[in-house]
Amino acid sequence: MTAVPLADRPPLSPVRVVVAIVALALGGFAIGTTEFVTMGLLPDIADGVGVDIPSAGHVISAYALGVVVGAPVIAAMSARLPRRALLVGLMGAFLVGNVLTALAPAYPTLLGARFLAGLPHGAYFGVASLVAASLVAPRLRGRAVSSVMLGLAVALVAGVPAATWLGQAAGWRSAYWLVVVLAAATVAAVLVVVPPSPGRADATVRGELGALRRPQVLLTLGVGIVGFGGMFALYSYIAPVVTDVAELSRGTLPVILFVYGVGGIIGTALAGRLGDWSLFRSLVGSLVALMVLLAVVAVVASWVPGLVAGVFLVSVSGSTLAILLQLRLMETAGEAQMLGAALNHSALNLANALGAWVGGLVIAAGLGYRAPSAVGAALAAAGLVPLAVSAVLRRRERAAGPVPAAAPVPGEPAAVR
């Protein structure tokens, strides 16, 4: 059956819009669970496939590499496809990747399975963000996009602890079977409650990837890779900070991670409102806040109340920054908004790798476990450089006058301010 053009359809009821966005967020919940549960089960996975823990850590890298590769490639190649069918296909591929993870008989096949599971990650969020934005009024599009991303934040509080507990109690493979169930539920929910919407009939791979020639897109990606890497410099080494610097028991770590997760939920929800208010100013403010807070954590990490408060506020500012970067990429990518939204997840996974690597360097240099927070503050400060260049270009573009708008594409939301 041919999809009815969006302009010819009666408007959706508020309840239907909310339910549809919740269905999209459920996919984010599944993705967030599989992405972060591996960290909590790393010793179990290492024992299960007969490798040491550092080698098992490459499983995390394999997933991240899948995200980095898959986001731009899939988004560029699938822009013509109907949005709902694409969402179902991406979540189906994600489901298969996690089935292969749960069944992997050995370390090499596990690496391959995690790479495959990561491929749909960024593209799913790109499509889901566009669909969510198309369901609401222009003034609410930032909140709609952040609501989809809320699934990822909630996963840190609920999905990852539950899957980690299940993996420890019933074997590490059971955690990925739980993700398979969540992915299947997402496919069913999207089919039932998300309205169909067309792709861009005139889209080409070359045209989509042309967004990568836009200076503002490249600068925003630079902010994400470098600036957001500061948060991962702290998060990657949060366990020794808790046990060696704050001198808390290992059993306290889940509490600290829960606090981090709550901060992520608040920051994600806050980002949508800030983006709808003033996207660029909010982006600058969140990056400056992240820089200051990481520096503070480096100083107060041995004081338990300061550490808890610092981790919470770093999470709030970092998650706010992540969503604002996605909105900024959607704004600057022109008609390739799906690619812009997907690229954000490539950038954030590169930030993850950069932050963990730099944090490891300063620890290996004998600077102690406070050092990753300090170097994280430096990375956030470095992220202000491409952001400052972006601000200068933005001011020049505004001074040059408005650029004639392209013809609207049916079913495609306008840029998010």
Side-chain angles (χ1 to χ4, degrees):
M1 182 180 292
T2 302
V4 179
L6 292 184
D8 298 336
R9 275 191 225 134
L12 299 177
S13 69
V15 172
R16 176 72 184 278
V17 170
V18 170
V19 171
I21 291 176
V22 169
L24 297 172
L26 178 60
F29 182 81
I31 289 173
T33 300
T34 201
E35 181 177 16
F36 291 103
V37 73
T38 305
M39 300 170 188
L41 292 175
L42 210 54
D44 306 84
I45 293 170
D47 289 342
V49 294
V51 297
D52 57 23
I53 288 180
S55 296
H58 296 156
V59 172
I60 299 172
S61 302
Y63 183 91
L65 180 61
V67 179
V68 172
V69 172
V73 173
I74 295 174
M77 294 181 65
S78 60
R80 289 189 176 192
L81 299 178
R83 302 290 188 236
R84 185 173 67 180
L86 181 54
L87 285 167
V88 170
L90 289 169
M91 191 49 57
F94 173 77
L95 184 154
V96 170
N98 281 278
V99 168
L100 294 175
T101 298
L103 295 175
Y107 178 65
T109 50
L110 179 60
L111 285 175
R114 294 316 291 158
F115 175 79
L116 292 175
L119 287 174
H121 176 128
Y124 176 86
F125 282 117
V127 183
S129 296
L130 278 185
V131 171
S134 72
L135 297 177
V136 300
R139 62 185 177 82
L140 298 175
R141 282 177 180 153
R143 270 168 272 195
V145 172
S146 69
S147 295
V148 171
M149 299 301 299
L150 203 57
L152 191 61
V154 173
L156 289 172
V157 175
V160 174
T164 301
W165 173 84
L166 180 64
Q168 291 174 341
W172 66 268
R173 298 176 191 273
S174 62
Y176 297 100
W177 285 120
L178 174 61
V179 174
V180 169
V181 172
L182 293 171
T186 300
V187 169
V190 167
L191 285 171
V192 171
V193 302
V194 175
S197 60
R200 289 179 50 221
D202 62 339
T204 64
V205 173
R206 183 176 179 180
E208 292 292 299
L209 293 178
L212 292 172
R213 295 195 298 268
R214 293 173 175 251
Q216 290 287 19
V217 170
L218 295 175
L219 288 167
T220 305
L221 289 173
V223 175
I225 295 169
V226 179
F228 198 76
M231 194 187 79
F232 282 112
L234 168 62
Y235 185 81
S236 300
Y237 301 98
I238 190 66
V241 171
V242 170
T243 56
D244 291 27
V245 179
E247 298 183 345
L248 295 171
S249 68
R250 188 170 179 269
T252 312
L253 182 59
V255 177
I256 302 297
L257 294 178
F258 177 79
V259 169
Y260 179 92
V262 171
I265 292 175
I266 294 173
T268 301
L270 178 64
R273 287 162 174 77
L274 290 173
D276 287 332
W277 167 67
S278 179
L279 177 53
F280 197 83
R281 280 185 287 179
S282 299
L283 184 57
V284 174
S286 63
L287 184 55
V288 170
L290 181 62
M291 175 189 69
V292 172
L293 289 165
L294 284 167
V296 169
V297 169
V299 174
V300 305
S302 59
W303 181 46
V304 174
L307 176 63
V308 173
V311 166
F312 173 77
L313 292 173
V314 163
S315 180
V316 171
S317 59
S319 55
T320 300
L321 175 63
I323 304 303
L324 294 173
L325 286 168
Q326 177 149 326
L327 293 172
R328 175 66 176 161
L329 283 166
M330 291 173 68
E331 177 186 68
T332 57
E335 291 185 346
Q337 290 186 39
M338 185 170 81
L339 177 65
L343 281 171
N344 190 47
H345 297 273
S346 293
L348 298 186
N349 275 271
L350 288 172
N352 189 344
L354 175 65
W357 176 66
V358 175
L361 285 180
V362 293
I363 292 172
L367 299 178
Y369 291 117
R370 294 176 187 261
S373 294
V375 80
L379 285 173
L384 289 170
V385 175
L387 193 56
V389 176
S390 177
V392 171
L393 291 180
R394 182 169 175 263
R395 189 176 299 113
R396 289 178 180 173
E397 290 164 0
R398 290 188 168 188
V403 178
V409 181
E412 196 84 356
V416 189
R417 292 220 342 264

